[in-house]
Amino acid sequence: MSASSEVTPLIPPMRWLLYVAAFLVFLAGLVLFVFTLQTDEFFAWTVNPPMTAVFLGAAYWSAAGLEVTGARSASWESARLAVWPVFVFTTLTLGVTLLHLDRFHLSPDAAPTAQIATWAWLAIYAMVPVAMVVISWRQVRSRRPIPKSITAGRPVLPPALRVLLVGIAGVLLLYGVALLAVPIPAATWWPWPLSELTARAIGAWLIGLGWAAAQGQKSGDLRTVRPVALTSVAFVILQAIALLRYGGALTWASAQAIGFVTVLLAIGLAGGWALALSRSPVARAGIT
């Protein structure tokens, strides 16, 4: 069945919000991934060790891809796979920021560029979740009535891929919640040292990524899973580069490092599989 009669067009405010969010996370990723050793000058807080900075930078850059892909989507059904994970992540990160505000570069002694970065950070994380709620409400109100006979059907991803995505989502969500709730004990299972702030910052990312995986496995159209698939592949590639640069921070024979790499491989496998399906002739034909 063609999906053309089933989709809700993405409204312009939502498209532009996703583009703006993509630009902002690209800038954050640029500082963390490229200027890794200069976060005391150019970032909202000083991130140590460098492996933490490049991990977070890779996450930000992969999220930029998620948001751009969502913004370029023709339909809300596809774009919302980018919107809700970003909303969850930004809301959680705002909470982490307020909880650890003393670690941010608000002191007059901090570098001027770091102070500017901090105030920009606070403004962005205060405004983006609110903007997403307001614009999402407008987006949902624009939904076209859909006859019951063509409402979204059951998930179309292969059962094995859905199981893999559910497993990934479960691991990321559970561990992300643990890092947020009890950062110091939970950080002992991370493959390099974390502070309370960095543990919670990573926890917010894991929950956002887990949310995306959970949403993706329920997709009723192969094409709508593409933003999550592209993000997963980009995330794994960037994390591999991060490990090549600062992987000396890990004890490679440890259970933590083996678990970390195993989860990365699972994310890469799921993302590559979903991406291949989303680009298949069946998906391009709009058949579900």
Side-chain angles (χ1 to χ4, degrees):
M1 178 185 295
S2 172
S4 60
S5 60
E6 301 180 37
V7 300
T8 301
L10 195 64
I11 62 174
M14 179 59 76
R15 193 181 305 279
W16 282 108
L17 176 61
L18 288 169
Y19 275 130
V20 169
F23 175 71
L24 294 173
V25 296
F26 172 80
L27 291 180
L30 180 68
V31 174
L32 291 164
F33 205 81
V34 177
F35 301 99
T36 307
L37 303 180
Q38 297 169 279
T39 55
D40 59 330
E41 297 181 56
F42 300 121
F43 198 59
W45 83 89
T46 303
V47 185
N48 281 311
M51 185 62 213
T52 301
V54 291
F55 175 90
L56 292 171
Y60 274 106
W61 267 357
S62 60
L66 175 68
E67 289 157 356
V68 168
T69 307
R72 289 171 57 85
S73 299
S75 70
W76 168 239
E77 286 72 19
S78 180
R80 67 184 175 188
L81 266 70
V83 171
W84 299 130
V86 172
F87 171 74
V88 169
F89 164 74
T90 53
T91 302
L92 291 174
T93 301
L94 175 61
V96 171
T97 299
L98 297 176
L99 192 60
H100 295 280
L101 201 56
D102 59 311
R103 291 284 308 278
F104 284 74
H105 292 143
L106 294 170
S107 167
D109 297 329
T113 49
Q115 292 183 53
I116 293 170
T118 301
W119 285 109
W121 175 282
L122 291 171
I124 290 164
Y125 281 101
M127 292 188 297
V128 168
V130 174
M132 283 197 159
V133 168
V134 172
I135 296 175
S136 295
W137 178 77
R138 290 186 58 190
Q139 175 70 68
V140 171
R141 282 176 59 86
S142 74
R143 187 186 301 274
R144 293 173 176 173
I146 300 174
K148 290 184 179 180
S149 61
I150 59 170
T151 53
R154 63 181 183 273
V156 295
L157 294 179
L161 177 54
R162 292 192 64 210
V163 169
L164 180 58
L165 286 169
V166 168
I168 291 169
V171 170
L172 296 180
L173 289 169
L174 288 173
Y175 190 47
V177 169
L179 286 171
L180 283 174
V182 285
I184 297 304
T188 60
W189 288 96
W190 194 254
W192 64 86
L194 299 176
S195 67
E196 283 193 29
L197 171 56
T198 54
R200 286 187 165 121
I202 288 174
W205 271 113
L206 297 186
I207 291 173
L209 293 169
W211 193 288
Q215 279 193 158
Q217 65 85 23
K218 296 191 298 183
S219 178
D221 186 328
L222 290 174
R223 295 167 298 177
T224 64
V225 79
R226 190 173 301 167
V228 174
L230 284 169
T231 300
S232 300
V233 172
F235 179 77
V236 172
I237 292 172
L238 289 167
Q239 293 298 346
I241 295 171
L243 289 171
L244 288 174
R245 292 175 62 193
Y246 294 105
L250 285 71
T251 302
W252 286 100
S254 67
Q256 292 90 332
I258 293 169
F260 180 76
V261 172
T262 299
V263 173
L264 281 182
L265 291 175
I267 292 171
L269 173 61
W273 190 354
L275 183 61
L277 289 172
S278 74
R279 299 176 65 86
S280 67
V282 170
R284 288 198 296 269
I287 300 171
T288 62

